[in-house]
Structures are given as C-alpha cells and as structure tokens.
C-alpha cells in the first residue's frame, strides 16, 4: 500500500501493522514526527541536499516499529521522507514510482484543462472520460508490447486484422475504426 503524507498518523500505522499489510507512506514532516530507537532514545531525522538516509527499527511515537528512509534531491525544496515496513531503500523506489505516476496524471490533467477535477460541468466530465479512455488505451498498448517482449509474439500481427471463420473480423465479426483493425486481447478480437 502506497499512501501520501496525510495518512502518516499513528492509528492507521497500528492498523496496517496489525493486519500484516506492507506499506510505504510519505511522512508529513511539517508535524515534526517523533521517533525513538530500540532503547527509547529520541531520533532526529535530518539530512542535507544530495544526501540519502536509511534508518531501521525505529518506533513512531514509541509505538509502531518501522523503517524510515529519506533523500533530498537537487532541485527540490524539501527532502522526501517515507515510513515503511519494507526495506528503506526499496520503499524510496516504490514511492518514487508513485510520484512519477502522479506527475504524469497532473500533466495530463493540465493538458486537458482538468485542473479542477471535481467540476460537475458536462464538458469537464467528457474531458475526464476521454482522459481515462486514453490512459486505458495506452495501458493496453504498453501491456501488449511488454508481454510480446517477455514471452515472444504469437506469430500474429499485433495490431492488424485477424480473420475469423468465413472471412469475418475477430470474434465479434466487426472491426474497430477505419480499416477494421483491433487490438489483440481486446473485446473486439
């Protein structure tokens, strides 16, 4: 489970730990969280720009045992701190991947004029649906490409026409778009 800083509070951490769930949560450093080591001594989290820190077996507010990882990359105004029950280095990689997804989504929303996602106007809703469909199509294409690279192509043309019995196209007998091509593995094939 990967969560943002508003979820870095003790009650939730205790619940996640009790359920045995793996988590990576960005730390809300503005609240000045308190950590102690295994002997109960307070641990101050600090690092300089360009530095990376990994701390194992700390206790959040003296209750929940976890690992803490932080890094302060050049160009950022503050460090990134994550709390986790994974290995600290792995947690940073996981959270960075989430950040890339968030940044991409933010860029797409900006390009489509959807900064105010909660807008209830029909035009904004249509743009959101278009964005979701675009993301889905890209996901399908990337998934097909990854599968073909990992497991090898099945000898078929990946995005061309597929002929069914009696010369029909695909399982539904209908092509998609002009030229009748459809994506292998989609509903039309």
């Amino acid at each position: 489970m990967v969560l943002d800083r508003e979820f870095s509070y003790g009650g939730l951490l205790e619940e996640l730990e009790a359920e045995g769930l793996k988590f990576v949560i960005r730390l809300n450093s503005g609240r000045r969280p308190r950590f102690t080591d295994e002997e109960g001594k307070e641990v101050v989290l600090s690092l300089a720009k360009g530095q990376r820190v990994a701390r194992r077996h700390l206790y959040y507010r003296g209750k929940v045992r976890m690992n803490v990882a932080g890094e302060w990359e050049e160009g950022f105004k503050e460090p990134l701190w994550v709390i986790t029950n994974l290995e600290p280095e792995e947690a940073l990689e996981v959270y960075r991947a989430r950040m890339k997804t968030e940044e991409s989504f933010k860029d797409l929303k900006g390009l489509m004029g959807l900064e105010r996602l909660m807008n209830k106007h029909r035009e904004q809703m249509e743009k959101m649906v278009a964005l979701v469909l675009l993301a889905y199509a890209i996901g399908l294409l990337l998934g097909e490409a990854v599968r073909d690279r990992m497991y090898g192509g099945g000898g078929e043309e990946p995005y061309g026409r597929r002929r069914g019995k009696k010369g029909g196209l695909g399982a539904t007998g209908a092509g998609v778009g002009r030229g009748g091509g459809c994506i292998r593995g989609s509903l039309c094939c």
Side-chain angles (χ1 to χ4, degrees):
M1 184 173 277
V2 183
L3 301 169
D4 209 358
R5 59 184 112 199
E6 63 266 14
F7 296 98
S8 63
Y9 57 91
L12 176 63
L13 299 174
E14 290 172 2
E15 292 289 328
L16 294 173
E17 201 57 36
E19 293 295 325
L21 296 171
K22 301 293 182 191
F23 62 86
V24 176
I25 303 174
R26 185 172 184 169
L27 187 60
N28 188 347
S29 53
R31 290 188 178 170
R32 300 201 184 266
R34 293 183 328 126
F35 291 94
T36 54
D37 62 15
E38 292 184 290
E39 287 111 35
K41 295 178 185 173
E42 188 170 350
V43 175
V44 177
L45 300 179
S46 66
L47 63 126
K49 283 189 178 182
Q51 192 177 23
R52 187 180 233 191
V53 173
R55 301 291 305 259
R56 290 174 174 75
H57 312 299
L58 297 182
Y59 288 86
Y60 184 75
R61 297 189 175 186
K63 295 181 180 179
V64 184
R65 182 178 166 180
M66 64 187 56
N67 297 323
V68 178
E71 69 179 354
W72 195 342
E73 292 182 350
E74 293 295 327
F76 287 88
K77 62 181 179 180
E78 64 181 11
L80 168 67
W81 289 100
V82 295
I83 51 180
T84 185
N85 54 4
L86 301 175
E87 285 298 311
E89 297 82 8
E90 180 185 3
L92 278 174
E93 296 301 318
V94 168
Y95 197 83
R96 253 193 256 106
R98 179 192 186 275
M99 286 177 61
K100 286 180 184 177
T101 302
E102 290 286 331
E103 289 168 2
S104 297
F105 191 67
K106 181 180 176 185
D107 291 344
L108 280 173
K109 283 178 22 182
L111 287 171
M112 295 189 70
L114 290 171
E115 289 85 9
R116 292 185 57 204
L117 186 59
M118 298 305 288
N119 197 321
K120 303 219 190 275
H121 292 96
R122 180 183 175 102
E123 181 182 351
Q124 295 296 326
M125 180 58 86
E126 288 173 353
K127 288 180 180 179
M128 178 52 72
V129 169
L131 176 63
V132 169
L133 290 173
L134 177 64
Y136 179 72
I138 290 170
L140 280 176
L141 293 172
L142 289 174
E144 290 285 331
V146 168
R147 185 181 68 193
D148 287 346
R149 284 184 186 218
M150 290 187 70
Y151 303 108
E156 303 173 21
E157 292 182 34
Y159 304 109
R161 293 177 153 204
R162 289 180 53 190
R163 295 270 177 205
K165 293 181 181 179
K166 298 182 183 177
L169 292 175
T172 63
V176 173
R178 294 175 59 176
C182 60
I183 298 173
R184 186 176 29 160
S186 66
L187 293 175
C188 69
C189 296

